[in-house]
Amino acid sequence: MKTFLMALALLFATAVQADEMPGMQHDTHDMDMMEHAMPMAAPTGAPADECAANRILPRGEDAPPMPMVPSQDQHRHGESLAQQVLFERLEYLDGRDDHGLAWEADAWWGGDTDKLWLQSEGERVDGESEGRAELLWSHAIAAFWDSRLGLRQDFGSDPDRQWLAFGIAGITPWWFDVQASAYLGPNGRSAARLEVERELQLSQKLVLAPQLELDAYGKDDHARDIGSGLAEGRFGLRLRYEFTPQFAPYVGVEWTRRFGETASLAEDRGDARSDSRLVAGVRFWF
């Protein structure tokens, strides 16, 4: 029995050594790899682009770009679904006459063609709050551009307002991120909103993000201290440090200005037409 066990141990050790030697690995997996590595002859009558997937492409910088077309598996099984929650701004702000907290967040779920979006933005300053939330369905209409349709709810210390929302969102040449929206509400109310943002990569970790926002309304809404026409503009510069792509604290400055009847209403209640604020916060997503 002892001789048998010694022989069995010797046989096992020999097998292990053979498995670790590169020249001894001739399993069926390697044979499959060799078959895939060999160029495949095009079937008679098959289109040339159909056989391109069987050709071996060079790697590295000399490799030609892959065509941006859906694969047959995507047509057969449908596009994959994904989701993301992004807090673009979660910050403390300190202005000339006020200070408080502000937020801007997006969450979406869907595929490349259709997505369901939940967006919210607002602030709480000196005990008073104002914000908005939008539930939108977006549909791809062109490369880098989506149409959007949904509902908007304004909330806070002033009376609530409800709107039907529609617009477009996308990326222009020079990588400007643009969102243009129009809104229709009860009693003939209407509104429009434009957001433009550009991210400038200063280094591997530092990103400077200028952002412009404009709001306009079709008629006066004195209950919310809003006048018709261009009501408010906001421009901000935020410099963030990306510890990881998912987590980045930032500091910055923001300028706000009211226009027209909205500025007059603000002065009547003791607020300034314009203000500048220092901001500090964090941007994160998951």
Side-chain angles (χ1 to χ4, degrees):
M1 177 64 70
K2 184 176 181 180
T3 303
F4 174 75
L5 292 176
M6 292 179 61
L8 185 61
L10 180 61
L11 181 62
F12 179 76
T14 304
V16 170
Q17 291 179 356
D19 187 61
E20 293 176 349
M21 294 175 62
M24 299 294 292
Q25 298 179 6
H26 297 297
D27 55 5
T28 56
H29 175 73
D30 291 335
M31 295 300 292
D32 290 340
M33 293 294 290
M34 292 175 62
E35 291 177 2
H36 286 299
M38 296 177 63
M40 301 287 292
T44 304
D49 56 347
E50 211 172 282
C51 300
N54 295 324
R55 294 198 292 267
I56 303 301
L57 298 178
R59 299 187 180 186
E61 296 181 355
D62 297 332
M66 296 297 292
M68 299 297 291
V69 296
S71 67
Q72 293 182 357
D73 289 339
Q74 286 178 311
H75 287 300
R76 185 161 46 244
H77 302 295
E79 60 182 349
S80 60
L81 300 179
Q83 64 280 325
Q84 185 186 64
V85 177
L86 166 65
F87 277 82
E88 186 71 40
R89 294 188 294 126
L90 186 60
E91 64 189 22
Y92 173 81
L93 53 90
D94 188 7
R96 182 174 55 211
D97 301 320
D98 51 26
H99 61 276
L101 300 174
W103 76 89
E104 180 182 354
D106 298 330
W108 61 263
W109 176 86
D112 294 335
T113 304
D114 296 284
K115 289 185 177 69
L116 183 65
W117 285 82
L118 177 61
Q119 298 181 328
S120 180
E121 181 178 359
E123 59 184 39
R124 182 172 180 82
V125 176
D126 293 339
E128 295 188 356
S129 62
E130 64 172 341
R132 64 180 178 87
E134 297 186 44
L135 182 63
L136 304 168
W137 169 72
S138 73
H139 178 74
I141 56 176
F144 305 110
W145 286 95
D146 296 340
S147 63
R148 294 185 172 182
L149 177 65
L151 301 172
R152 166 179 162 179
Q153 172 79 26
D154 292 347
F155 56 88
S157 303
D158 297 327
D160 293 354
R161 295 288 184 258
Q162 294 79 36
W163 310 83
L164 175 66
F166 55 94
I168 59 172
I171 299 176
T172 70
W174 305 102
W175 303 103
F176 286 95
D177 189 349
V178 176
Q179 295 186 47
S181 304
Y183 306 94
L184 295 176
N187 303 318
R189 293 192 182 95
S190 61
R193 181 177 179 85
L194 176 66
E195 300 178 46
V196 181
E197 185 175 2
R198 174 76 157 88
E199 293 192 346
L200 304 173
Q201 194 82 34
L202 304 183
S203 70
Q204 282 190 325
K205 298 290 187 178
L206 282 175
V207 179
L208 180 65
Q211 183 183 42
L212 173 67
E213 298 180 3
L214 297 173
D215 286 286
Y217 294 87
K219 62 183 298 186
D220 294 343
D221 187 355
H222 288 179
R224 295 183 63 88
D225 294 323
I226 292 173
S228 60
L230 180 61
E232 187 175 8
R234 180 177 300 176
F235 178 75
L237 281 174
R238 291 171 176 82
L239 179 66
R240 68 176 185 261
Y241 184 85
E242 295 184 339
F243 285 100
T244 68
Q246 294 87 354
F247 180 80
Y250 63 83
V251 295
V253 61
E254 184 177 79
W255 295 272
T256 62
R257 181 173 177 81
R258 299 179 178 92
F259 302 94
E261 181 67 17
T262 304
S264 299
L265 293 171
E267 289 180 329
D268 291 342
R269 66 174 185 267
D271 295 335
R273 285 176 172 260
S274 61
D275 194 11
S276 58
R277 301 166 166 177
L278 297 176
V279 300
V282 62
R283 178 185 187 270
F284 62 94
W285 59 268
F286 53 89

